[in-house]
Amino acid sequence: MTLDLVIRGGTVATAADVYRADVGIRDGTIAQIGLGLEAAEVIDATGRLVLPGGIDSHVHISQPSGDGIVMADDFESGTRSALFGGNTTVLPFCLQAKGQSLRAALQDYHALAEGQCYTDHSFHLIVSDPTQAVLGQELPALVADGYTSFKVFMTYEGLRLNDAEILATMDTARRTGALVMVHCENEDAIRYLIGRQEAEGEVRPKAHATTRPVAVEREATHRALSLAEITEVPIVIVHVSNGAAMAEIASARARGQKVVGETCPQYLMLTAKDLDGMDWEGAKFVCSPPPRDEAEQEACWRGIETGVFDLFSSDHCPFRYDDPAGKLNPRGRTSFRHIPNGIPGVETRLPILFSEGVAKGRIDLSRFVALTATNHARTYGLERKGSIAIGMDADIAIWNPEAKRTIRHADLHDGADYSPYEGTEITGWPETVIVGGKVMVREGELIGAKGEGRYVPRSRSALAASAYP
Ligand code: DUC
Ligand code: ZN
Ligand code: ZN
């Protein structure tokens, strides 16, 4: 068999196995796995790990974020940063504005992504306006077209759905075999707590954490799971930050519900104390749910180790710090309420989990691959992605497991002006990244061009597919 490219002599890891083999690629696909493979182009991977490219199934790129606020990444910078972080596919969200059709929203996002991406990509939908037309006609047609997952919010005025709307949206998912992702925080409770803080004159960034305590997330998680139980749909609880919300997921599973749990680097690496920085620096760490404390970090690690979490995503949602269109926008300087929610992290997600998880012995390599690639592909219907096996897309990251790096924003490739993980020491970094058989980053150098990442329509989730053979 004539191969285009062979990755020779590395240690291949999948979610099931770790073994020595050469990987042969032809026409963008993994065509052979064996020993002694030959091709015109050979990459020597001796001493390196050959892993499925990361799939980050929770990122925000070019998402409208309120008056005068601009996200720090467009599709060019966001996917370039993802690529350097060892990712080969990202799933950003397509936000439906109130009154807008989902088709129109998708057209906008496709236009923004077209010709700009370094990685493959696909879109989740955010349903903010679940009218009868949207739920009855648009969504079913879009699910059939490969947009097989959508997110609903229980928080944010203008975005949150009430319980009746969540039930109706979940019912559409039930009828179409789509997967619902839920942002679980109780908006009314947050409003109440914000009112109390304001009455006390507290406006600093740290109040973002105190107005979104664990109970706010735990209650909403319980309610989302109950609504999913009632409508009989599988769901994803995204960006889980604490042990109490994890316990809700575990008990729903024990009752027989199909639930996927997701956590993110910020819940392992940051705490609410980071929001209490000098001179508004805490704004750099404002995200929702907020980071908690060391005990909750440990709880999240236990969830990663024991399987409460299937997904480890970045929730990359970047805003520049020192920028009137970012964290320090004129209103954001006056109160935590106006600091845009979200932090960058698409490039550091995999190195952080590798370093803190694999290198420190908390998880093994196969679990790392499952949490960062394979489970994302199965959960979101990316049939040819997330593993190294014959017939799969040749999406591969070659890692130096011994590389020592210190995270410095100056070395990253996103459009923000800081990293929340500045100064963190890392062991292990992806050096060469291959997307669809094309070497995009070679030993740390960008050699691929924007536009080489493709849009990927998706099948139904493995979790939702049982109703749709
Ligand atoms: N939810 C997200 O998923 N990302 C950023 C902000 C938010 O609330
Ligand atoms: Zn969210
Ligand atoms: Zn998010």
Side-chain angles (χ1 to χ4, degrees):
M1 180 187 286
T2 315
L3 296 167
D4 303 326
L5 172 66
V6 164
I7 303 167
R8 186 180 287 160
T11 298
V12 176
T14 70
D17 301 301
V18 179
Y19 57 99
R20 295 290 293 275
D22 304 341
V23 178
I25 295 166
R26 193 177 54 184
D27 296 335
T29 300
I30 297 170
Q32 245 184 317
I33 298 173
L35 294 173
L37 303 189
E38 300 286 349
E41 188 182 353
V42 174
I43 295 177
D44 180 7
T46 309
R48 301 291 185 260
L49 300 174
V50 179
L51 308 184
I55 300 173
D56 196 336
S57 62
H58 188 151
V59 304
H60 303 263
I61 297 175
S62 287
Q63 191 173 299
S65 305
D67 275 355
I69 305 297
V70 181
M71 213 162 244
D73 275 319
D74 57 18
F75 281 86
E76 179 182 0
S77 62
T79 59
R80 184 181 59 212
S81 183
L83 181 75
F84 272 98
N87 299 284
T88 50
T89 303
V90 295
L91 299 187
F93 291 87
C94 163
L95 170 68
Q96 175 199 28
K98 279 263 194 249
Q100 190 186 31
S101 85
L102 284 163
R103 283 267 180 215
L106 273 168
Q107 253 170 20
D108 293 349
Y109 278 85
H110 276 290
L112 290 168
E114 181 69 34
Q116 301 299 309
C117 294
Y118 288 94
T119 64
D120 286 355
H121 54 282
S122 195
F123 296 106
H124 306 291
L125 306 169
I126 293 176
V127 179
S128 70
D129 201 0
T131 60
Q132 277 190 359
V134 165
L135 297 186
Q137 283 113 50
E138 266 213 308
L139 259 184
L142 290 171
V143 174
D145 285 352
Y147 304 95
T148 54
S149 49
F150 33 88
K151 180 174 176 186
V152 298
F153 283 80
M154 300 172 91
T155 182
Y156 299 129
E157 226 32 82
L159 204 52
R160 71 184 285 200
L161 305 189
N162 63 34
D163 290 355
E165 291 170 324
I166 294 173
L167 284 163
T169 306
M170 285 180 171
D171 189 64
T172 298
R174 185 181 61 77
R175 287 184 286 108
T176 57
L179 188 60
V180 183
M181 312 158 76
V182 190
H183 179 130
C184 300
E185 287 184 296
N186 180 321
E187 177 68 15
D188 293 329
I190 295 164
R191 293 277 127 204
Y192 161 75
L193 290 169
I194 289 175
R196 260 176 49 184
Q197 290 286 348
E198 283 183 339
E200 288 164 19
E202 179 56 87
V203 292
R204 288 173 291 177
K206 69 175 186 177
H208 175 77
T210 49
T211 54
R212 292 173 176 266
V214 164
V216 158
E217 184 182 346
R218 185 195 62 223
E219 184 281 329
T221 304
H222 181 86
R223 189 156 35 100
L225 288 163
S226 302
L227 300 179
E229 181 184 357
I230 290 160
T231 48
E232 300 178 274
V233 290
I235 59 166
V236 182
I237 306 291
V238 293
H239 46 50
V240 175
S241 72
N242 67 85
M246 286 166 46
E248 296 291 345
I249 293 173
S251 21
R253 281 205 186 128
R255 289 192 297 271
Q257 278 187 253
K258 291 183 185 171
V259 189
V260 173
E262 176 199 73
T263 194
C264 313
Q266 48 270 40
Y267 306 119
L268 305 179
M269 304 297 288
L270 306 177
T271 68
K273 285 192 208 118
D274 290 304
L275 277 79
D276 196 8
M278 294 280 289
D279 196 23
W280 231 254
E281 288 266 322
K284 290 180 176 176
F285 305 92
V286 166
C287 61
S288 294
R292 308 292 183 187
D293 60 18
E294 285 80 3
E296 300 296 5
Q297 289 181 339
E298 269 316 304
C300 289
W301 272 115
R302 272 203 313 284
I304 283 178
E305 290 157 15
T306 61
V308 174
F309 296 124
D310 296 304
L311 302 176
F312 187 74
S313 308
S314 68
D315 196 4
H316 180 73
C317 186
F319 298 96
R320 292 173 60 81
Y321 171 66
D322 194 4
D323 194 315
K327 298 282 190 181
L328 295 188
N329 69 82
R331 295 199 314 153
R333 287 173 179 272
T334 66
S335 169
F336 68 96
R337 289 180 61 175
H338 304 298
I339 298 170
N341 272 230
I343 60 176
V346 73
E347 191 166 345
T348 45
R349 169 186 75 126
L350 296 172
I352 284 173
L353 188 65
F354 189 93
S355 187
E356 293 292 317
V358 180
K360 292 193 174 166
R362 285 173 160 131
I363 55 172
D364 66 18
L365 208 44
S366 285
R367 180 96 186 109
F368 175 81
V369 169
L371 283 161
T372 57
T374 316
N375 293 349
H376 299 253
R378 302 298 159 264
T379 300
Y380 294 116
L382 291 160
E383 281 180 353
R384 286 165 48 100
K385 297 191 179 293
S387 192
I388 294 181
I390 289 170
M392 302 293 269
D393 288 351
D395 294 345
I396 292 172
I398 303 176
W399 283 66
N400 179 350
E402 316 285 338
K404 300 278 184 201
R405 294 267 292 260
T406 303
I407 294 177
R408 303 269 177 234
H409 186 260
D411 300 328
L412 302 178
H413 302 83
D414 59 65
D417 56 355
Y418 75 99
S419 166
Y421 310 109
E422 187 78 15
T424 304
E425 310 274 344
I426 296 287
T427 300
W429 204 274
E431 292 179 335
T432 293
V433 187
I434 300 167
V435 181
K438 173 87 183 30
V439 182
M440 297 293 287
V441 172
R442 186 191 294 277
E443 296 187 15
E445 292 291 318
L446 183 65
I447 60 167
K450 70 177 183 178
E452 294 191 278
R454 295 155 306 160
Y455 167 71
V456 193
R458 290 179 288 120
S459 311
R460 289 188 172 84
S461 167
L463 216 69
S466 52
Y468 287 84

